[in-house]
Amino acid sequence: MVDDLAFLFDKYNVVAAFWVTVQLAVLSAIGSLIWGTALAAMRVSPVPIMRGFAAVYINAVRNTPLTVILVGSSLGLWQTLGVTLAGERATEVNFRLAILGLVAYTSCFVCESLRSGINTVHVGQAEAARALGLNFGQVLGRIVLPQAFRSVIGPLASVLIALTKNTTIAAAISVAEAAALMKTMVENEAHLLFLVTVIFAFGFVFLTLPTGLILGWVSKKVAVKR
Amino acid sequence: MTVETSTAAMIKASEVNKFFGDLHVLKDINFEVPRGQVVVVLGPSGSGKSTLCRAINRLEPVNSGVIHVDGKELPKEGKALAALRADVGMVFQSFNLFAHKTIVDNVMLAPLKVRKQKKPEARESAMQLLERVGIADQSEKYPAQLSGGQQQRAAIARALAMRPKVMMFDEPTSALDPEMVQEVLDVMTNLAKEGMTMFVVTHEMGFARRAAHRVMFMADGEIVEDTTPDDFFTNPKSDRAKDFLSKILTH
Ligand SMILES: Nc1ncnc2c1ncn2[C@@H]1O[C@H](COP(=O)(O)OP(=O)(O)OP(=O)(O)O)[C@@H](O)[C@H]1O
Ligand SMILES: [Mg+2]
């Protein structure tokens, strides 16, 4: 068993593959939080066009399978339209497109979580802010969203954990992340199937478990007392 | 309408009507509140007092009629409306302190973000205001850690921090335990003595008698009586006012 493990780690660069997974997950998480917050702001904005855009975007993207989004951005954006996101080599282009697709998709769920958080903020909070002369952006950015975020850290943790697991779909556009390597290993080392599976399952739990624990702790820490 | 009256009045409502669906909540409301006057608005539940109060800074838009504040017609939206609201202090029944900010940050927020004051300056005047309402020692706590009376005094300080031209109060003591009512009324009475223009929806008769110059009695969306506190309490004219007074005075 230990020998097999040593053999696998020797022959395959498991750590490097997981490092790509981590990069995909972290960069996509940052992007999704930003774009998801922007979408939530649009959904509650007084401008009908923005509300409409956000609603259509979310309903369209959220209901499209992630595989379709990722393959679509590789084949459609890159191969057909020539969008490379300033990447030069194919691996670079696909890595960046994978992040783009993951952000586009995950931000829908960030937005919907945040929106339910916004609903937990008492209307009096926004009214008091408006009555003091704060403008829409200030009311949202200073009063409503900070309280909304605090109340949805739990659900956001689930979204980020799902994102981490969803990075495996980037293998579909040949990004060399963990799942891509697992596929290769399963094909080449069929006799060690069980061990390979355990390695990768453990790897993902190792990545996602702290996310849940840390955010659970943060959530308790910053909870708004009412 | 002459220029003199509109510049003299701090609040002026002309032919104001407001509907919630089919419900006619404000019916042809007309009044002027001169600078420095303290008006107490009384009336049974559902008579439109809160709606009127909220219409004055357009938290509730009206369907027709015009409201002027300090001679300027209420802007419909945008920057001009925000600027007007900055000049109209508002105190709510449920305090509405920002739950995620400390008391001093609650008071400093709008001076920093709307008036663009410098932080040390804003902090100093915030602390002075908290001193004035008697809760300077609570400045670093969060709203949920304060008693209701303390929260409401903090909310008054927050409104005063904008140096408003007029202060609106919508039942500021109705959500308080009885023993905390007086501390809030004391702050309001002092404010009245200092010459602040005040528009106060309240059922506190003691405050009305002591601090108010004028009582407006509302029923069914109309201003039914508009007179001095003394006259209103000793000599109500309408049946609705008599009925209302008999109900609250027996409490
Ligand atoms: N947002 C709203 N939508 C629909 N109807 C409303 C709304 N706000 C108030 N109303 C109705 O308008 C009427 C006047 O309400 P308002 O709150 O102004 O009364 P009030 O005099 O302040 O009463 P109270 O003493 O209970 O506070 C009531 O019949 C109320 O039910
Ligand atoms: Mg009311």
Side-chain angles (χ1 to χ4, degrees):
Chain A
M1 176 89 169
V2 176
D3 287 350
D4 290 340
L5 212 56
F7 161 76
L8 285 177
F9 273 84
D10 220 36
K11 185 167 174 197
Y12 300 94
N13 201 339
V14 178
V15 173
F18 268 107
W19 176 235
V20 175
T21 298
V22 169
Q23 284 175 303
L24 277 177
V26 170
L27 294 174
S28 304
I30 295 170
S32 311
L33 287 172
I34 294 171
W35 180 227
T37 305
L39 285 170
M42 287 188 227
R43 286 211 83 161
V44 298
S45 93
V47 185
I49 290 191
M50 287 189 157
R51 282 204 304 272
F53 167 78
V56 169
Y57 174 93
I58 285 163
N59 284 313
V61 176
R62 187 177 53 178
N63 294 316
T64 309
L66 183 55
T67 318
V68 174
I69 293 177
L70 290 186
V71 172
S73 38
S74 183
L75 294 182
L77 282 180
W78 179 28
Q79 320 258 339
T80 312
L81 299 175
V83 177
T84 60
L85 300 177
E88 276 158 20
R89 285 161 296 116
T91 48
E92 215 169 56
V93 174
N94 274 330
F95 178 76
R96 292 179 187 189
L97 285 171
I99 291 177
L100 181 75
L102 285 165
V103 168
Y105 181 77
T106 312
S107 56
C108 297
F109 299 92
V110 170
C111 170
E112 292 304 281
S113 297
L114 258 184
R115 217 154 62 99
S116 70
I118 289 173
N119 290 334
T120 67
V121 180
H122 194 276
V123 286
Q125 297 282 306
E127 273 192 348
R130 282 195 289 149
L132 284 165
L134 273 70
N135 61 34
F136 173 77
Q138 292 170 324
V139 175
L140 197 65
R142 305 261 163 203
I143 306 302
V144 179
L145 283 178
Q147 295 188 48
F149 261 112
R150 283 167 165 81
S151 68
V152 295
I153 290 176
L156 280 180
S158 306
V159 169
L160 295 183
I161 288 170
L163 165 65
T164 310
K165 296 187 286 182
N166 282 342
T167 56
T168 52
I169 296 176
I173 54 172
S174 34
V175 176
E177 47 65 70
L181 180 63
M182 177 174 169
K183 188 162 176 280
T184 314
M185 285 166 75
V186 166
E187 277 162 10
N188 296 350
E189 320 294 340
H191 62 293
L192 294 174
L193 188 59
F194 179 70
L195 193 55
V196 170
T197 312
V198 168
I199 290 173
F200 284 92
F202 181 79
F204 274 96
V205 171
F206 182 75
L207 291 184
T208 52
L209 204 57
T211 311
L213 290 177
I214 292 170
L215 287 180
W217 177 78
V218 170
S219 163
K220 285 212 189 72
K221 195 93 180 142
V222 301
V224 179
K225 289 180 207 73
R226 293 211 176 83
Chain B
M1 186 183 74
T2 64
V3 177
E4 288 86 81
T5 53
S6 63
T7 51
M10 185 55 84
I11 307 171
K12 180 179 157 86
S14 323
E15 297 297 315
V16 170
N17 282 282
K18 167 77 186 175
F19 294 84
F20 283 118
D22 287 336
L23 191 65
H24 200 170
V25 197
L26 297 178
K27 299 174 184 163
D28 289 327
I29 300 288
N30 288 290
F31 66 86
E32 283 189 27
V33 178
R35 197 176 300 272
Q37 191 173 64
V38 177
V39 183
V40 160
V41 182
L42 296 170
S45 181
S47 54
K49 307 178 299 290
S50 297
T51 309
L52 180 58
C53 209
R54 293 159 55 80
I56 291 167
N57 63 4
R58 221 184 147 78
L59 281 179
E60 206 70 79
V62 298
N63 297 92
S64 68
V66 193
I67 296 173
H68 288 85
V69 173
D70 199 20
K72 282 199 288 282
E73 186 176 334
L74 274 196
K76 291 271 180 295
E77 55 199 17
K79 273 204 176 122
L81 179 59
L84 176 125
R85 284 176 175 154
D87 286 339
V88 178
M90 179 105 187
V91 175
F92 302 86
Q93 181 174 350
S94 49
F95 330 133
N96 295 348
L97 289 171
F98 304 132
H100 63 306
K101 290 187 174 290
T102 60
I103 297 301
V104 67
D105 284 341
N106 263 273
V107 178
M108 284 162 60
L109 179 74
L112 287 175
K113 300 300 161 202
V114 179
R115 298 271 192 247
K116 312 286 180 205
Q117 281 181 17
K118 296 270 174 299
K119 201 156 187 182
E121 208 184 304
R123 192 176 181 88
E124 197 186 318
S125 45
M127 288 310 296
Q128 279 171 8
L129 282 164
L130 290 174
E131 191 77 54
R132 196 166 134 195
V133 300
I135 49 169
D137 52 338
Q138 311 290 325
S139 63
E140 298 303 327
K141 291 190 181 165
Y142 285 88
Q145 298 172 294
L146 268 59
S147 74
Q150 291 172 327
Q151 288 191 53
Q152 193 60 299
R153 287 185 279 155
I156 294 173
R158 177 177 69 177
L160 290 175
M162 296 301 281
R163 307 189 188 290
K165 296 173 176 169
V166 50
M167 285 283 285
M168 319 289 301
F169 295 83
D170 187 4
E171 304 207 28
T173 58
S174 330
L176 297 178
D177 292 337
E179 72 271 19
M180 292 169 187
V181 169
Q182 199 53 46
E183 63 193 49
V184 172
L185 291 180
D186 287 344
V187 169
M188 292 168 60
T189 308
N190 283 334
L191 208 52
K193 281 194 193 127
E194 287 161 23
M196 176 63 77
T197 312
M198 292 165 68
F199 191 89
V200 186
V201 179
T202 184
H203 290 160
E204 292 298 328
M205 299 303 138
F207 176 80
R209 282 176 179 277
R210 200 165 358 104
H213 303 114
R214 174 177 175 187
V215 165
M216 295 201 308
F217 173 75
M218 288 186 75
D220 296 327
E222 289 172 303
I223 298 177
V224 179
E225 303 209 17
D226 185 352
T227 178
T228 63
D230 213 34
D231 189 41
F232 180 75
F233 290 118
T234 53
N235 186 21
K237 311 249 173 341
S238 63
D239 289 342
R240 280 185 289 191
K242 284 177 194 157
D243 184 46
F244 174 76
L245 281 173
S246 72
K247 275 183 190 137
I248 50 171
L249 294 180
T250 51
H251 274 245

